[in-house]
Amino acid sequence: MSDRENVPALLRVLNGEALERPPIWIMRQAGRYLPEYRELRTRAKSFLEFCYSPALATEAVMQPLRRFPLDAAILFSDILVVPDALGRKVWFVEGEGPRLEPLIGEETWRFGEPEKAAQKLAPVYEAVERIKAAIPKDIALIGFAGAPWTVATYMLQGRGGDKDDARLEFYRRPEDVDALLETLVEATAQHLAAQVKAGADCLQIFESWAEGLPPQMFQRVVITPTRKLISRVRELGVDVPIIGFPRGAGAQIGAYAHQTGITALGVDTQTPAIEALEAAPQGMPLQGNLDPLTLVIGGKALEDAAQDVLIAFKETPHIFNLGHGITPQATPENVEKLVRIVKGEA
Ligand code: CP3
């Protein structure tokens, strides 16, 4: 085998190569649309306990890989382990989503030392080691974290949903929000560096709440903290590629792609491929952006939408993915069909 064949296709694209057939992975590929995941999930009392069990996390990662010939594995964990490690209470309400003790309403914001937060996440790094050992060499292992602003919105509001309260708090207490973002930059940099040390081949930063921010605020809470995060990760000796996924950033994806230091840009469902191609630096690998709902519907809607994505990103280094996470209503049969379409077997 030549060296080239040993390099996972995903990493070749992240190094700037445009492949005849793009590699594919699926955001939230381990999850509730898989019956075997729902069964596995019952073995832990809480979702965080599940995340902190290296054996359960490894099994969750392997489940989609056994069913589909995907090109990447993603660590099974959550973006909210970082606030948990910073000493903020985090729990998950069945059918509703995450809850935290909200910072909004607290007079003084106190956190654990960000330099030490990663020490509490040892089970996550043990999971990375186990997953790395369990997956074939041609499958890339993706580590991840939430971007500072996205994680801050959960910490501020204590929940997801409408982000107006987080934005209001920025207007009320901008210096405190800056300090919160600084804390998250350091804790998240340590967390990402530890994942790479444990075996992650590349990283993704989820900025799931890049939506609805005026340009100055976008600069201050999204671009600046993400640029600091990436330069801190590099300072810690990490040289692997980093995918940035600023969901909902709209017309600000160009500023994000040029100014943060990302290697590749995750494109959300609503963004036309041509806009992403024109906005990103020349030759930057792009990832995306199939509508997750086509995996609920299947049939011709799925075939057409998948072909549209393949054609739209044909001329550029491209990683096939969804434009947002897969939904619990998607079917494994439709995922299998999608992978076959992308591999040119359907
Ligand atoms: O294969 C994978 O991608 C699994 C790893 C993973 C999870 N969460 C597992 C999970 C990843 C990469 C995440 C990222 C994450 N977590 C994001 C960013 C991506 C995005 O979707 O925007 C966000 C915002 C979170 C916070 C979070 N965690 C939410 C909003 C929820 C509830 C969502 C829901 O559908 O209930 C979670 C819980 C969660 N994280 C689940 C999984 C599989 C479902 C909970 C369960 O199985 O009990």
Side-chain angles (χ1 to χ4, degrees):
M1 255 196 301
S2 77
D3 279 355
R4 203 178 223 207
E5 279 165 316
N6 285 322
V7 178
L10 186 96
L11 297 182
R12 286 172 60 189
V13 173
L14 288 172
N15 281 325
E17 241 185 282
L19 301 184
E20 177 68 26
R21 289 275 157 197
I24 175 172
W25 68 281
I26 288 169
M27 283 192 277
R28 300 279 194 109
Q29 64 194 28
R32 285 169 300 178
Y33 74 104
L34 292 175
E36 61 270 35
Y37 171 81
R38 296 197 296 271
E39 195 282 314
L40 189 68
R41 176 68 186 76
T42 64
R43 297 196 210 168
K45 271 204 287 307
S46 72
F47 181 67
L48 274 186
E49 203 176 278
F50 189 103
C51 289
Y52 292 148
S53 158
L56 293 178
T58 303
E59 175 57 19
V61 170
M62 299 312 289
Q63 288 179 338
L65 301 183
R66 285 190 201 111
R67 279 184 182 255
F68 320 115
L70 295 159
D71 293 290
I74 180 162
L75 165 67
F76 192 91
S77 182
D78 198 84
I79 65 168
L80 299 178
V81 300
V82 169
D84 185 51
L86 283 167
R88 303 294 304 183
K89 225 178 241 145
V90 178
W91 68 103
F92 288 80
V93 180
E94 198 61 49
E96 287 186 42
R99 292 287 184 279
L100 295 85
E101 287 171 305
L103 289 169
I104 294 174
E106 285 183 19
E107 206 160 312
T108 314
W109 295 350
R110 290 198 188 84
F111 317 103
E113 286 175 69
E115 296 78 7
K116 296 198 176 148
Q119 292 170 12
K120 298 195 188 157
L121 298 176
V124 176
Y125 315 128
E126 191 189 328
V128 174
E129 283 175 18
R130 288 197 193 197
I131 296 159
K132 181 72 177 172
I135 62 176
K137 295 277 168 283
D138 60 343
I139 293 184
L141 176 55
I142 305 169
F144 75 92
W149 171 248
T150 289
V151 175
T153 64
Y154 284 97
M155 294 175 77
L156 289 163
Q157 301 193 157
R159 57 195 301 157
D162 190 328
K163 295 298 177 289
D164 281 4
D165 287 336
R167 206 141 47 88
L168 281 168
E169 197 69 356
F170 173 79
Y171 286 118
R172 285 193 202 103
R173 302 174 66 168
E175 283 80 20
D176 288 338
V177 172
D178 281 341
L180 168 61
L181 293 169
E182 287 290 337
T183 299
L184 286 168
V185 164
E186 181 61 29
T188 307
Q190 301 285 349
H191 182 46
L192 289 172
Q195 291 175 50
V196 173
K197 206 171 151 217
D201 298 304
C202 57
L203 296 168
Q204 175 153 318
I205 298 172
F206 286 92
E207 186 73 276
S208 302
W209 297 106
E211 195 174 343
L213 299 171
Q216 274 94 338
M217 199 191 287
F218 188 85
Q219 195 72 40
R220 185 150 157 186
V221 304
V222 172
I223 292 187
T224 300
T226 304
R227 187 176 58 234
K228 286 184 183 168
L229 170 61
I230 292 175
S231 60
R232 183 71 181 126
V233 167
R234 297 298 182 214
E235 220 173 74
L236 293 170
V238 170
D239 60 3
V240 303
I242 300 177
I243 306 164
F245 177 50
R247 188 168 70 83
Q252 309 194 81
I253 54 169
Y256 179 92
H258 280 271
Q259 297 172 31
T260 53
I262 56 166
T263 315
L265 179 67
V267 182
D268 62 17
T269 301
Q270 68 182 350
T271 303
I274 183 78
E275 299 277 339
L277 279 161
E278 281 169 7
Q282 179 76 32
M284 177 177 272
L286 301 177
Q287 172 176 284
N289 72 342
L290 184 73
D291 183 354
L293 296 187
T294 61
L295 291 175
V296 179
I297 297 296
K300 186 161 162 25
L302 172 60
E303 282 162 31
D304 290 351
Q307 290 299 343
D308 284 348
V309 171
L310 285 170
I311 290 163
F313 291 97
K314 206 172 175 39
E315 304 303 323
T316 211
H318 178 220
I319 298 161
F320 199 104
N321 206 318
L322 309 182
H324 190 194
I326 190 168
T327 65
Q329 295 76 29
T331 69
E333 294 70 30
N334 287 337
V335 173
E336 192 182 333
K337 178 171 173 152
L338 171 65
V339 177
R340 268 200 261 108
I341 294 170
V342 173
K343 302 269 168 207
E345 294 159 8

